Amino acid sequence: MQGIKKTVGLCMVALFISAPAIGAEQPKYVFYMIGDGLGASQRQFSEFFVREKEQDNSKELLMNTFEVAGLNSTYAADTLITDSAAAGTALASGVKTNKGVIGKDAKGNDVKTLVEAAELEGMATGIITTTRLTHATPAAFAAHNISRNNENEIAEDYLKSGVDFLAGGGIRHFIPKSMKIENGDAIGKTIKSKRKDEKNLVAAFHQSGYSTFIGMEGAKAFGATDFTKEEKVVALFTYTHMPYEIERINTYSAVPSLAEMTQAGIEVLQKDNDGFFMMVEGGRIDHAAHANDPTGVIYDTIAFDEAIKVAYDFYQQHPKETLIVVVGDHETGGMGLGMDSKGYKLDMSQLLATRISVEDTLAYGKGQYKGDKAAYLAFLKNEFGLDNLNESEAARLERAMTDADAGQTSGYYKVNPAALTAAHILSERANINWTTTIHTATMIPMSATGVEAQRFAGFKDNTEIADTMADLLNFTL
C-alpha cells in the first residue's frame, strides 16, 4: 500500500512539473528573433566592437541584457552539425529533420509551423529577413519542401501561406523567366528570374490584396509609406540577398534596414485584435561568418540587435502582452576570441576602418582580385582597412594572389583565396581566429524577455524552443 502511495505521489509530482503553470499568462504579441550563425562569440565580439567604436566600456547589445538566458543544442536528425534548413525546421516546428529539409520531418511528412498555427488562431503573421525570402530559415516557417534548394517551389508556398507581412530579398524566385529589368533592384543589380516558367508571383500577391514593394522603386516607396494603413505587404528589395549591413550603411542607404522592416511589420500586424506572431531573421551574420569576415559579422549582428530594439520598444508599450525570444540556428565559422600569437587581448581598433564585406565585394564584387596585385593591395588599404602590411602578411597575400592566378580556391565554398586570406589577416590583427568556413555544432545562446520568458531559460534543444512557444500560446504543432 505504501508503494502504491509513493507511485501515485511521484506521478502527481511529474504531472505538476510538466503541466503549464496555473494562471500563466499568454502573450498576445510574439517576436521570434533568429540570428543565423549567431553563436556566443559573435554576440560578445560585436559588443566589444561597439564599446571600442563608442569609447564606452558600459555599452551592451540589447540582446545580452535580457533577464532570461539559456543554451540551445542544434544538431539535425542525420548529422551533429546542422544546416539552416534542419535548424529552421526545428525552431519553427519543434521537429528534428535531415539536413537540407524544409518544413518536413525526417520521413518526408509535412510538419506544422508556429506561423501556420498562429494563423489558425486568427493571429496576424510576419516573416522578415535579410536573406532571400526563399532561403532556408524564413522558408522553414511557411514552406514544406524536401530540399531547401527548390526555391521556386518555396516561393509558391509563400503565395499560399497567408502570411500577412513578408519582407526580404530574392525577387528572382517570384517573377516570370522572361522578366528582366536592368539595374532594377535596390542595390542597382539587374532584376532577372531564376524560374523555369512564366508564373508571376508578385502579380499574384497583388491580386490577392497585398501591397507590393519591389526593387529600387519598392525600396523608395517603402520608406515613404504609412504602414498603419496597410493590411498585407510583400517587400522584395533585391535580386538575391539584401546587402551586408556594413555596405548598406556606406553605399546602399536607400535599402531598408532590418530594424525598419521590423517597424513596418509591427505597424501592419498590430491592427489585428488577436495579436501577431513575427519571425525576424538576421540572416547575413551567417554569410559573413562563412567568409570569415569579422566586420561583416559585427555590423550585421548590430543591425539584428537594432531590430530587437524595435521589438523591445513595442514591448515597453505592451509589457503585459509581449514576448521576445532571441535565438540562433547554429554557429558559423568556429569563431575564437583570442590566439597564441597575440596573448591575452583583443584589439577591436583594427576593425574600425573597414567599409566593405568579404563575400559581396572582395570575393565576388568590385573588389575581387583579378590579376592586378598592386590595385588589389591598394583596394584593401582604402576600403578594407588593411594597410601597413608586415613581411609575413605581405608574403601571405602574395601567395594567395598567385594561387588565385592559378585558378585555385579556398574554403568549403571555394572562394577566391586572396579574399579569404585578407579576411584572415584582418581577423588576426584583432586576435580573432576561425576554425572553419562552414557551421559548427557548438551550443547557441538564447535570451528572452516579456510574458512567460522564464519558460525558455536553461539548457534546451532547439526543438524545445518551438515546443515551449507552442505550449505557451496553446498551439498544436
Side-chain angles (χ1 to χ4, degrees):
M1 184 69 177
Q2 188 171 354
I4 294 174
K5 286 181 179 179
K6 183 176 181 180
T7 301
V8 171
L10 288 172
C11 289
M12 291 297 289
V13 169
L15 180 63
F16 178 75
I17 292 173
S18 62
I22 296 174
E25 297 177 80
Q26 180 176 329
K28 181 178 181 180
Y29 307 109
V30 177
F31 294 92
Y32 203 178
M33 315 292 293
I34 302 176
D36 202 305
L38 184 63
S41 292
Q42 286 83 352
R43 286 173 68 150
Q44 191 62 58
F45 181 57
S46 300
E47 184 170 279
F48 286 156
F49 179 83
V50 171
R51 292 178 180 181
E52 174 67 30
K53 187 175 182 180
E54 300 190 18
Q55 289 296 292
D56 184 351
N57 286 334
S58 69
K59 289 291 184 180
E60 297 175 293
L61 295 182
L62 179 62
M63 70 179 94
N64 292 344
T65 69
F66 289 170
E67 69 275 15
V68 176
L71 287 172
N72 303 150
S73 53
T74 65
Y75 62 92
D78 61 345
T79 175
L80 292 178
I81 299 179
T82 190
D83 79 325
S84 292
T89 299
L91 291 170
S93 299
V95 173
K96 290 289 185 188
T97 195
N98 294 335
K99 182 173 172 285
V101 176
I102 296 288
K104 291 178 177 285
D105 63 22
K107 295 181 179 180
N109 302 304
D110 287 0
V111 292
K112 188 189 294 184
T113 76
L114 288 164
V115 165
E116 292 167 343
E119 289 171 348
L120 290 173
E121 296 298 320
M123 299 175 75
T125 55
I127 296 175
I128 300 168
T129 182
T130 51
T131 68
R132 295 190 298 271
L133 198 60
T134 49
H135 215 237
T137 303
F141 283 81
H144 306 274
N145 204 290
I146 199 65
S147 174
R148 60 180 291 174
N149 296 321
N150 295 330
E151 292 188 63
N152 293 332
E153 296 174 11
I154 289 168
E156 293 181 44
D157 278 357
Y158 273 113
L159 181 61
K160 297 179 288 188
S161 71
V163 177
D164 301 288
F165 187 92
L166 296 165
I171 300 168
R172 66 194 200 179
H173 298 291
F174 292 84
I175 58 175
K177 68 176 183 178
S178 59
M179 182 176 287
K180 186 176 182 179
I181 305 172
E182 298 289 344
N183 306 315
D185 88 345
I187 62 172
K189 287 188 176 182
T190 297
I191 294 175
K192 53 187 176 181
S193 179
K194 280 278 190 176
R195 297 194 66 82
K196 307 298 182 183
D197 55 40
E198 289 297 327
K199 292 180 180 178
N200 189 332
L201 303 185
V202 172
F205 272 113
H206 185 71
Q207 291 165 6
S208 298
Y210 285 78
S211 295
T212 57
F213 298 83
I214 309 300
M216 179 66 77
E217 293 304 314
K220 293 176 181 177
F222 193 89
T225 297
D226 180 358
F227 284 99
T228 64
K229 298 179 181 178
E230 300 292 335
E231 296 298 324
K232 294 191 292 184
V233 168
V234 172
L236 298 164
F237 299 114
T238 46
Y239 165 73
T240 182
H241 305 303
M242 295 184 69
Y244 282 104
E245 180 68 7
I246 192 170
E247 292 172 338
R248 192 195 70 80
I249 292 171
N250 291 310
T251 308
Y252 306 117
S253 58
V255 178
S257 67
L258 186 60
E260 289 167 338
M261 290 189 288
T262 302
Q263 181 61 46
I266 290 171
E267 291 173 9
V268 171
L269 302 182
Q270 69 178 338
K271 297 189 293 292
D272 193 310
N273 291 330
D274 295 310
F276 63 71
F277 182 99
M278 184 187 300
M279 191 289 291
V280 180
E281 184 202 22
R284 303 219 69 189
I285 301 166
D286 168 69
H287 297 174
H290 276 296
N292 292 175
D293 178 357
T295 48
V297 165
I298 286 167
Y299 280 92
D300 269 79
T301 300
I302 293 170
F304 180 58
D305 199 60
E306 289 171 351
I308 295 170
K309 175 65 163 56
V310 171
Y312 189 73
D313 288 345
F314 181 87
Y315 157 72
Q316 289 183 307
Q317 297 169 28
H318 308 274
K320 296 182 179 180
E321 299 177 295
T322 305
L323 170 68
I324 304 172
V325 177
V326 182
V327 296
D329 58 348
H330 52 72
E331 194 274 343
T332 304
M335 188 183 199
L337 306 186
M339 297 173 63
D340 278 349
S341 60
K342 295 290 181 69
Y344 290 89
K345 66 178 182 179
L346 294 171
D347 187 359
M348 300 295 100
S349 68
Q350 297 291 330
L351 308 176
L352 293 173
T354 305
R355 295 171 47 83
I356 58 170
S357 73
V358 172
E359 181 188 11
D360 284 3
T361 297
L362 288 184
Y364 302 110
K366 66 180 181 180
Q368 183 179 3
Y369 171 69
K370 294 184 178 180
D372 188 334
K373 294 180 179 179
Y376 186 67
L377 292 175
F379 189 84
L380 291 179
K381 176 181 178 180
N382 295 330
E383 300 296 326
F384 200 53
L386 200 57
D387 61 354
N388 299 318
L389 297 173
N390 63 36
E391 185 176 339
S392 174
E393 293 170 341
R396 288 169 64 190
L397 274 171
E398 176 70 25
R399 286 194 300 271
M401 290 185 285
T402 299
D403 288 344
D405 289 335
Q408 296 183 33
T409 59
S410 296
Y412 184 85
Y413 290 105
K414 303 184 185 305
V415 300
N416 188 310
L420 195 60
T421 299
H424 287 169
I425 291 173
L426 185 65
S427 296
E428 290 161 17
R429 286 185 171 190
N431 211 16
I432 299 307
N433 187 40
W434 304 90
T435 66
T436 183
T437 58
I438 56 175
H439 301 170
T440 70
T442 189
M443 293 182 292
I444 295 297
M446 181 285 314
S447 52
T449 192
V451 179
E452 294 296 311
Q454 71 278 1
R455 294 185 60 182
F456 296 88
F459 181 93
K460 294 182 184 295
D461 184 61
N462 54 7
T463 56
E464 293 180 81
I465 300 295
D467 288 341
T468 300
M469 195 168 286
D471 185 57
L472 177 58
L473 293 165
N474 291 324
F475 292 170
T476 301
L477 292 179

